[in-house]
Amino acid sequence: EIQMTQSPTSLSASVGDRVSITCQASQDISDYLNWYRQKVGKAPELLIYEASKLESGVPSRFGGSGSGTEFILTISSLQPEDAATYYCQQYDNLPYNFGQGTKLEIK
Amino acid sequence: EVLLVQSGAEVKKPGESLKISCQASGYSFHSYWIGWVRQLPGKGPEVMGIIYPGDSDIRYNPSFEGRVTISADISISTAYLQWSSLRASDTAMYYCGRHHSLIPGDGLEMWGQGTMVLVSS
């Protein structure tokens, strides 16, 4: 079973800041990685698929990079609506595990 | 417009059975993978399993295999998740989602509103 580890588990940043979240897979998953944003009380929203491809309708301030075991989600200019928990998810092999989440707070 | 509409919240007793649904509209139901996701209170999402309605290819997360059954009815564009004997530990929010492409597990790009299941004696 592939384990996904995110860091940090929480962070606080200001509007306009550049923010990065890291996701590490326990084995090589190529680029079979998704990133989601989940606001409180809502379903997750797909931001990035195949490690770096921006989902349709998602603002261009979101970007994904990496392959193999190390991945990064970057928000280039933080907005108030980005307050949420962010999850990475691998889909190289079942079970398609999520990371434990990164809670992002806006100062 | 692509929509996934899930059945309403359920309150059940341990040992009871349950089947919840996810009705799709606005696209060719048989052409996209559908996934079921559990989210325990205060925890991250877990993929329980996925189904390709076109040929009923079903793939379970080993942690859930034998505990739940995933199915679909193409004639009414609806996917299902069912339990034969609920436990208190099944209390959670359950989401269905449509996958992005023909690659199993590819991003869930469209989600239902969620079905809250409460199991309590």
Side-chain angles (χ1 to χ4, degrees), chain A residues 93-106:
Chain A
N93 274 307
L94 275 167
Y96 302 133
N97 286 334
F98 286 79
Q100 81 279 18
T102 296
K103 187 172 183 179
L104 175 56
E105 174 195 86
I106 309 296

Side-chain angles (χ1 to χ4, degrees), chain A residues 1 32 34 36 38 41-46 48-50 55-56 87 89-91 94-100, chain B residues 37 39 43-47 49-50 59-63 95 99-100 103-109 111-113:
Chain A
E1 184 169 320
Y32 295 118
N34 302 312
Y36 295 89
Q38 186 174 28
K42 301 292 187 183
E45 308 165 63
L46 180 65
I48 302 286
Y49 62 98
E50 280 182 52
E55 170 66 4
S56 175
Y87 296 98
Q89 182 210 16
Q90 67 83 19
Y91 58 103
L94 275 167
Y96 302 133
N97 286 334
F98 286 79
Q100 81 279 18
Chain B
V37 175
Q39 192 160 27
K43 301 295 185 182
E46 303 168 89
V47 175
I50 60 174
R59 305 184 187 188
Y60 289 98
N61 177 335
S63 296
Y95 294 101
H99 283 275
H100 186 272
I103 301 173
D106 195 3
L108 285 156
E109 62 177 355
W111 294 69
Q113 83 277 20

Side-chain angles (χ1 to χ4, degrees), chain A residues 5-12 19-23 35 73 85-87 99-104:
Chain A
T5 304
Q6 291 180 228
S7 62
T9 54
S10 65
L11 75 151
S12 181
V19 168
S20 292
I21 298 169
T22 299
C23 178
W35 286 100
L73 173 71
T85 300
Y86 291 79
Y87 296 98
Q100 81 279 18
T102 296
K103 187 172 183 179
L104 175 56

Side-chain angles (χ1 to χ4, degrees), chain B residues 81-95:
Chain B
L81 176 66
Q82 68 181 87
W83 296 258
S84 59
S85 181
L86 286 160
R87 304 170 181 169
S89 56
D90 294 317
T91 293
M93 180 69 83
Y94 294 88
Y95 294 101

Side-chain angles (χ1 to χ4, degrees), chain B residues 1-2 6 10 13 16-17 23 33 36 42 48-49 63 72 86 89 95:
Chain B
E1 182 190 10
V2 174
Q6 296 185 228
E10 301 276 359
K13 290 181 166 47
E16 291 186 331
S17 63
Q23 183 166 36
W33 288 90
W36 283 99
M48 304 173 73
S63 296
L86 286 160
S89 56
Y95 294 101

